[in-house]
Amino acid sequence: MPKKISICAPALRAAATCLLAWSALTLTPAHAAKKTAPSSPAAPEIAERQADLGELRGRIEGLRKDLNTSEENKADAADRLRESERQISRLQRELHELTDQRGRLQKRLENLEQQSKDLAVTLNQQQSQLEKLLYKQYLRGTPDSLQLLLNGDDPNQVARDLHYFSAIALTRAELMGEINATLDKKRALAADAKERAAELKEVEAQQQVRVAELNKQREERKRLHAQISDKVAAQRKEIGNLQQNEKRLTSLIDRLSKILAAQAAKAAEAARAAEAAKIAEAARQKTKPRTEPESKAPPRREETAEAPRQKPAEAENNYEPVASNGNFARQKGSLRLPVRGTVSGRFGSPRDGGGTWRGLFIRAAGGSEVKAVASGRVVFADWMRGFGNILIVDHGDAYLSIYGNNESLLKQVGQSIKGGETIATAGNSGGNPESGLYFELRHQGQPIDPMKWASLK
């Protein structure tokens, strides 16, 4: 018997290994993210919010068209740069989105590859267990139960042997099931990897196309700017030109504020109706009714600072906004300015060309990341005369933050953002002579001093 075993056991181990060798066909490293499962039907509340968002976008789009129409009534040299700067902003946003998508795909690829390695280890362990089990079964043989009884062996020993052989058979079946399940997972991972790899390749190809288009648009803007730079500079020095730009922005803010106030009133009415329904339901169930929450006092109107006539010294901002939640008014004094750079124009100080600064101008290199000072929702993102690519964020309670002269806008109307999230890149769009960011804070439509809300320390 020992001689027979020494001859056949290696062959048996090889047979057990060969039985499962076909699993290696599916063992390519995993490469990408699985497609998200189809989302379940939207709840009524979600559908209502989406409808409100669609309404907001529609009204702001109408406002944007009105603004463009009014700007076309008077020619301005910087307007020749408008389409080029818009295209640069669009391409930069698409590149930013593609970069995020590429990052997610690569992260998913790494995750799938790790899963594939883990499954390979599991499969090897399962194969080893099956090999040992088959070897033990071979050593013991598979005797017939009747033969055991006829041999005159102890019935109790016979029962124990039969139970042992039954347990081995059951364990073998379970192991085979586990191995098949592991192999199925490996095949699914391999197929997913192949699909994600194709997606990643497509995203990278799109990135290359966008980069080429972006470089082309930048060259076009550079050429146009060289042609009209003298005229742009002359128009910026015209008395009243800056005031007209500020008036245009104020008009936009006023109209946006009305739209946002109407939406807030609608939301408040819906909240009151929902609360009343809850109270009525509680009354029907004979429980203690909830009292209506006390209405908050309307936020105090911030007074604008009187404009000092002397030009203040420049200051350096070396900090960036961080993630923030909660009521915007409570963050007064703790905000950070949206971009690192030199604060060269301050609220209330005189501007070249007439008027006073109603916000801050922060000099920064083109392409510097502009971050939201606090959480909110984008309510305007487009090109505007005098401010170039401008983005406006609603923080609630009639507070708005305004980011102008950007090279690109990375967010669109309706998108929710978090404090510290990158929303744009600094530039000199709109005919601005310096690269940087124009930044304003407004409350109830009135400009307020950002330096009373933010710190450089």
Side-chain angles (χ1 to χ4, degrees):
M1 184 70 177
K3 183 178 181 181
K4 182 179 180 182
I5 293 172
S6 64
I7 295 172
C8 298
L12 185 60
R13 286 196 296 271
T17 304
C18 291
L19 179 65
L20 303 165
W22 56 274
S23 64
L25 296 175
T26 63
L27 305 188
T28 56
H31 295 300
K34 289 186 179 180
K35 289 183 178 178
T36 55
S39 58
S40 57
E45 314 87 65
I46 297 177
E48 184 176 351
R49 288 174 188 166
Q50 289 175 339
D52 289 344
L53 180 57
E55 180 186 356
L56 173 66
R57 283 177 171 164
R59 296 180 70 178
I60 291 177
E61 177 64 17
L63 179 58
R64 186 186 70 81
K65 289 180 179 178
D66 290 345
L67 179 67
N68 290 341
T69 301
S70 65
E71 287 186 350
E72 289 171 0
N73 292 334
K74 178 187 175 185
D76 188 283
D79 290 356
R80 292 185 60 185
L81 301 172
R82 175 170 52 192
E83 288 309 312
S84 180
E85 291 176 345
R86 276 178 173 166
Q87 290 299 318
I88 289 173
S89 176
R90 176 185 63 81
L91 290 168
Q92 285 273 55
R93 183 179 67 249
E94 291 177 358
L95 264 175
H96 185 265
E97 292 169 353
L98 286 170
T99 300
D100 286 347
Q101 184 181 354
R102 185 172 182 268
R104 289 192 297 269
L105 283 172
Q106 288 180 326
K107 186 175 181 180
R108 180 58 179 166
L109 278 169
E110 293 171 1
N111 181 264
L112 286 175
E113 186 173 359
Q114 185 59 47
Q115 288 183 48
S116 181
K117 290 179 180 177
D118 293 343
L119 284 176
V121 172
T122 301
L123 185 60
N124 287 334
Q125 292 172 346
Q126 291 169 340
Q127 288 174 338
S128 178
Q129 290 175 7
L130 180 61
E131 180 185 327
K132 292 177 182 178
L133 191 64
L134 290 173
Y135 183 68
K136 287 181 180 179
Q137 188 174 14
Y138 171 76
L139 290 177
R140 296 295 298 265
T142 312
D144 181 68
S145 57
L146 179 60
Q147 183 65 37
L148 289 173
L149 291 173
L150 293 176
N151 286 342
D153 295 336
D154 181 9
N156 291 329
Q157 183 62 42
V158 170
R160 284 193 294 270
D161 288 344
L162 290 175
H163 177 74
Y164 175 75
F165 292 134
S166 175
I168 288 180
L170 180 60
T171 303
R172 182 179 62 185
E174 289 176 350
L175 266 174
M176 289 300 297
E178 291 175 1
I179 289 172
N180 287 331
T182 301
L183 292 171
D184 287 341
K185 289 179 182 178
K186 295 281 288 180
R187 283 192 293 271
L189 283 175
D192 194 12
K194 185 177 180 180
E195 191 172 349
R196 299 290 84 74
E199 280 187 32
L200 183 60
K201 187 176 181 180
E202 182 180 352
V203 166
E204 290 173 343
Q206 290 180 21
Q207 281 184 310
Q208 292 177 358
V209 171
R210 295 299 186 279
V211 167
E213 292 179 1
L214 181 60
N215 290 335
K216 183 179 178 180
Q217 283 296 332
R218 281 175 169 164
E219 286 299 318
E220 175 65 14
R221 183 188 181 278
K222 184 178 179 181
R223 184 184 64 81
L224 282 173
H225 191 271
Q227 289 180 358
I228 62 174
S229 58
D230 292 341
K231 190 172 182 181
V232 169
Q235 285 190 337
R236 284 186 60 84
K237 293 179 180 179
E238 288 180 5
I239 301 299
N241 193 54
L242 289 176
Q243 287 89 332
Q244 286 298 319
N245 291 337
E246 291 173 353
K247 184 178 180 181
R248 192 179 298 109
L249 178 61
T250 297
S251 175
L252 171 64
I253 295 296
D254 290 342
R255 296 171 70 179
L256 276 174
S257 298
K258 290 178 181 178
I259 293 174
L260 296 174
Q263 271 221 330
K266 183 179 178 181
E269 181 63 29
R272 284 194 294 269
E275 184 67 20
K278 287 182 182 179
I279 293 174
E281 179 64 23
R284 280 194 295 270
Q285 296 176 2
K286 296 183 179 181
T287 60
K288 185 178 180 180
R290 295 180 183 179
T291 58
E292 288 284 346
E294 295 182 4
S295 60
K296 294 182 179 180
R300 184 172 60 86
R301 191 184 184 92
E302 187 81 16
E303 294 182 359
T304 59
E306 293 184 4
R309 301 313 299 175
Q310 69 277 14
K311 186 175 181 179
E314 296 181 350
E316 193 74 19
N317 173 52
N318 296 311
Y319 299 94
E320 292 181 342
V322 295
S324 58
N325 295 308
N327 187 286
F328 184 83
R330 293 176 183 173
Q331 300 178 59
K332 184 174 183 179
S334 63
L335 296 179
R336 293 296 186 185
L337 296 181
V339 68
R340 294 175 183 263
T342 303
V343 182
S344 60
R346 290 215 185 190
F347 181 86
S349 62
R351 295 189 64 172
D352 295 336
T356 58
W357 287 97
R358 309 185 83 180
L360 304 177
F361 185 76
I362 308 169
R363 285 204 304 265
S368 300
E369 290 187 345
V370 176
K371 300 180 182 293
V373 294
S375 300
R377 180 174 60 168
V378 178
V379 293
F380 191 83
D382 200 359
W383 193 95
M384 183 177 181
R385 182 182 291 172
F387 299 95
N389 293 315
I390 185 171
L391 187 141
I392 301 176
V393 178
D394 173 28
H395 300 288
D397 294 330
Y399 285 98
L400 300 174
S401 59
I402 302 163
Y403 311 79
N405 300 131
N406 298 285
E407 179 185 48
S408 62
L409 307 177
L410 304 181
K411 300 296 180 180
Q412 301 182 74
V413 171
Q415 285 188 286
S416 295
I417 56 175
K418 297 178 180 179
E421 185 175 356
T422 301
I423 57 175
T425 59
N428 63 337
S429 61
N432 203 56
E434 292 184 293
S435 176
L437 174 76
Y438 177 70
F439 175 63
E440 273 193 25
L441 286 179
R442 295 218 178 196
H443 183 222
Q444 295 180 339
Q446 299 300 311
I448 56 180
D449 187 357
M451 296 308 298
K452 290 185 178 179
W453 288 72
S455 172
L456 299 180
K457 299 179 180 180

